[in-house]
Amino acid sequence: MRPTHLVLSLAVATALAACGGEPATGDTTPASAGAAGHAFSPELSKDDFAEMVKTLSSDEFEGRAPGSPGGEMTVEYIKAQYERIGLEPGGDDGTFFQTVPMVETTADESTVLRLDSNGQTRELKFGEDMVIGTRTGEARVAVNDSELVFVGYGVNAPEQDWNDYAGLDVKGKTVVILVNDPGFHAGDESLFEGKRMTYYGRWTYKFEEAARQGAAAALIIHDTEGASYGWEVVRNSWSGPQFDLRAEDDPEPRLPAQGWITGEVARQLFAESGLDLDEQYAAANRRGFKAVPLKARVSFDLRSTVSEKSSRNVVGYLRGTEAPEETVVYLAHWDHLGRHEGEGDTIYNGAVDNATGVAGIIEIAEKFAAAPPRRSVVFLAVTLEESGLLGSKYYVAQPAFPLEKTVAVVNLDAMSVAGRSRDVVVTGKGNSELEDILAPLASAQGRVLVEESNPAGGYYFRSDHFNFVKAGVPALYAKGGGDLLEGGAAAGKAAADEYARRYHQPSDEVHEGWRWDGMVEDLELLHEVGRTLADGDQWPNWYEGNPFKAARDAARAGAQ
């Protein structure tokens, strides 16, 4: 089977030179990549899994930053494991690699937004009052005297009979939007999914929809409860270099500029238009909401430093024996945060996030290779997850294997290291028929399915599988739960709190307290899900009412 979409193959040296590093050489690949230092078993093995996690999260790999020597060591290591197992290459030009071109944009943080609001003029400061950026790849984006319009939650959801843009022309205007879904702030369980975030609640969707509507810019009003994080997270996330795909590689529409304003700025802005922000929150949570023009205009001159770079996905597959054109995809991101300047430990090793997931799909690949199934199984290790799910986004835009023939995706991201559990957390529980396959397999292990502890956080939309989801491909993101066999829910909460302290810190390393038996049990479970799909002829779909079902139905109809 050959990839159906090929992209331009770029040299590793180009990627490293763009990042200020030296070209990778054979010396950057550790000897253990070729399994010289460890005897691997064809079965799911705690020792094999631990060997790979420890290697990938070692200081030698320098935190696996894309475009760095450590990042190049990582993709070569994964490639060596794929070759050892006997997978076939599924990347560019018969290789295991898919080059992912990317654009790095750094906004000038001296940029200000000038508000002319009902006769008053003031300037909003970057980081303090607002953040702003562009995904266009343009070094300068200027917006002058653009009218501001409050569009509620900025949602256009036909299956929910909801359209905040109904009868509205926003071309050339700047839309002001609430974060999360209709129903969230009002606590109305009859609207959308109440406190559980849908994709319409994610800030990424709101910018996409504003672009589809032709807006000049969009500003989201921050509130901690609705976003599930404070303003400091927004400020830190939007400061410094921002990575994105090139506009020509991205099927989604883009705004000239997009950003956030604080709740305090919004409250004053609305008051200057004679509006009470709390009353507008209430109005936006009622069916029939009509957009409200504000007595304000915005201007800004956004200048950015822009450069093009690249990284690589690693794609291997096991050819199916009877239906090789149909594929089941196992997915994990290999990248982490690299090395930072400073004193003490400066390497962000990313042991849980996501050396566990990469080692997991390799272990599952090895077990599949011992008994090839009737359908093909693809093992996709993607880059740039930490920069906005870009590696998976590029793959979905330029798929090596047709999406209409992709049966399902199983995503491994930050596996639980706390030990065996009585439950399995299904992030985004209630979305697809993959849960009907998972449930009996979990039951056979004596386990039950539960949803994530904070469904309002929208975590289903914040990992790589979601790019497949938007294309209509059902995806499963499941891992060991918090009701531990040893210590119960209290021990599970303690473990979760401990990891929260290590998350995106140099201390995300392999620790003596890790319980490998729980991870192996989870790998066995996720292997069985894929085995059921790859040996069968099912085409799982989304449950009725899911916003992505229409895309799946259209893809399947076109594949017949």
Side-chain angles (χ1 to χ4, degrees):
M1 182 186 302
R2 295 289 300 162
T4 58
H5 294 276
L6 298 177
V7 297
L8 180 63
S9 179
L10 303 178
V12 174
T14 302
L16 289 176
C19 293
E22 294 298 321
T25 69
D27 294 335
T28 64
T29 304
S32 57
H38 181 85
F40 285 88
S41 163
E43 294 301 315
L44 284 174
S45 160
K46 178 184 73 175
D47 292 340
D48 293 354
F49 180 68
E51 165 72 15
M52 288 186 285
V53 172
K54 290 173 181 177
T55 299
L56 288 163
S57 62
S58 67
D59 284 354
E60 186 179 8
F61 281 69
E62 299 183 332
R64 305 190 306 279
S68 71
E72 293 306 313
M73 289 173 65
T74 303
V75 296
E76 293 293 343
Y77 180 88
I78 298 168
K79 171 193 171 187
Q81 296 299 337
Y82 285 1
E83 289 177 327
R84 174 183 62 79
I85 291 168
L87 300 185
E88 296 186 45
D92 302 342
D93 299 327
T95 73
F96 283 99
F97 300 125
Q98 181 185 47
T99 300
V100 181
M102 59 185 177
V103 177
E104 180 186 271
T105 304
T106 305
D108 182 349
E109 295 184 20
S110 67
T111 301
V112 297
L113 295 188
R114 191 184 77 244
L115 281 180
D116 295 309
S117 181
N118 201 17
Q120 301 184 57
T121 300
R122 68 181 185 279
E123 292 186 342
L124 305 184
K125 296 181 180 179
F126 194 105
E128 183 178 336
D129 305 308
M130 62 82 187
V131 292
I132 191 78
T134 182
R135 298 180 56 219
T136 63
E138 298 294 329
R140 183 182 182 188
V141 175
V143 170
N144 295 305
D145 214 27
S146 174
E147 297 178 37
L148 290 173
V149 183
F150 174 56
V151 295
Y153 288 91
V155 170
N156 180 11
E159 77 283 356
Q160 296 278 358
D161 192 26
W162 193 285
N163 185 2
D164 288 323
Y165 290 95
L168 185 64
D169 182 1
V170 297
K171 290 181 174 60
K173 299 177 182 179
T174 296
V175 293
V176 180
I177 312 172
L178 301 176
V179 72
N180 219 301
D181 293 304
F184 175 81
H185 293 96
D188 187 345
E189 294 294 329
S190 70
L191 294 181
F192 288 70
E193 296 187 23
K195 286 290 186 180
R196 180 178 180 177
M197 184 185 284
T198 73
Y199 183 55
Y200 296 116
R202 284 285 289 155
W203 57 269
T204 49
Y205 163 79
K206 296 174 189 297
F207 291 144
E208 291 166 10
E209 186 59 38
R212 281 188 285 270
Q213 298 291 333
L219 298 170
I220 292 177
I221 299 171
H222 173 264
D223 75 271
T224 298
E225 184 184 14
S228 290
Y229 41 77
W231 177 254
E232 70 281 358
V233 174
V234 177
R235 180 185 62 235
N236 295 341
S237 298
W238 285 66
S239 301
Q242 308 290 306
F243 292 96
D244 215 324
L245 299 182
R246 300 177 305 184
E248 60 264 35
D249 296 326
D250 187 356
E252 294 169 352
R254 300 187 180 193
L255 288 162
Q258 57 195 40
W260 296 65
I261 56 176
T262 67
E264 293 78 8
V265 166
R267 191 167 296 279
Q268 181 178 353
L269 173 65
F270 277 59
E272 290 166 353
S273 291
L275 301 170
D276 180 86
L277 182 59
D278 294 331
E279 291 179 357
Q280 292 305 308
Y281 266 98
N285 279 272
R286 291 193 289 265
R287 289 194 179 277
F289 166 80
K290 299 295 183 184
V292 181
L294 301 177
K295 298 175 182 178
R297 294 175 180 267
V298 67
S299 301
F300 56 85
D301 187 356
L302 174 63
R303 298 174 187 262
S304 305
T305 302
V306 181
S307 61
E308 289 202 11
K309 302 183 177 182
S310 67
S311 187
R312 295 192 286 179
N313 293 333
V314 192
V315 191
Y317 74 101
L318 187 67
R319 189 185 299 268
T321 58
E322 298 178 25
E325 73 284 356
E326 300 173 1
T327 57
V328 176
V329 175
Y330 281 91
L331 172 68
H333 76 89
W334 62 256
D335 65 299
H336 199 58
L337 304 180
R339 182 193 289 271
H340 292 204
E341 294 182 2
E343 298 180 357
D345 188 356
T346 60
I347 297 176
Y348 289 67
N349 301 83
V352 172
D353 184 18
N354 187 34
T356 56
V358 174
I361 67 169
I362 295 171
E363 271 295 278
I364 289 172
E366 187 149 25
K367 184 159 186 176
F368 266 106
R374 64 179 298 273
R375 285 167 160 167
S376 294
V377 186
V378 177
F379 299 91
L380 176 60
V382 295
T383 185
L384 293 164
E385 188 270 354
E386 302 289 2
S387 299
L389 317 182
L390 299 186
S392 57
K393 189 175 190 178
Y394 186 81
Y395 178 91
V396 169
Q398 305 284 344
F401 303 88
L403 297 182
E404 64 272 17
K405 293 288 189 178
T406 300
V407 178
V409 171
V410 179
N411 184 27
L412 280 69
D413 189 357
M415 297 181 67
S416 171
V417 301
R420 297 179 63 198
S421 63
R422 298 180 180 89
D423 52 354
V424 178
V425 173
V426 180
T427 303
K429 187 173 182 292
N431 271 313
S432 84
E433 295 169 354
L434 290 172
E435 295 167 36
D436 301 333
I437 296 171
L438 178 66
L441 296 172
S443 179
Q445 291 184 335
R447 308 167 80 184
V448 297
L449 307 187
V450 299
E451 69 177 2
E452 68 267 38
S453 59
N454 179 25
Y459 296 106
Y460 190 69
F461 317 117
R462 293 160 68 171
S463 190
D464 283 300
H465 64 271
F466 188 60
N467 285 311
F468 287 88
V469 168
K470 287 192 288 185
V473 181
L476 181 67
Y477 181 23
K479 63 180 76 176
D483 185 5
L484 303 183
L485 266 61
E486 295 185 14
K493 183 179 186 307
D497 291 344
E498 172 67 16
Y499 174 61
R501 289 189 287 271
R502 301 184 188 278
Y503 173 70
H504 280 198
Q505 301 297 322
S507 55
D508 183 5
E509 301 174 296
V510 175
H511 291 271
E512 290 184 2
W514 279 26
R515 297 297 303 270
W516 301 94
D517 56 348
M519 287 182 274
V520 171
E521 186 171 48
D522 291 344
L523 292 176
E524 293 279 6
L525 178 61
L526 296 177
H527 167 264
E528 287 304 307
V529 171
R531 175 66 69 177
T532 300
L533 292 167
D535 272 339
D537 57 7
Q538 301 179 62
W539 287 94
N541 206 332
W542 303 98
Y543 291 138
E544 288 296 333
N546 187 284
F548 305 106
K549 188 175 185 300
R552 176 66 160 186
D553 291 344
R556 290 297 304 134
Q560 301 301 321

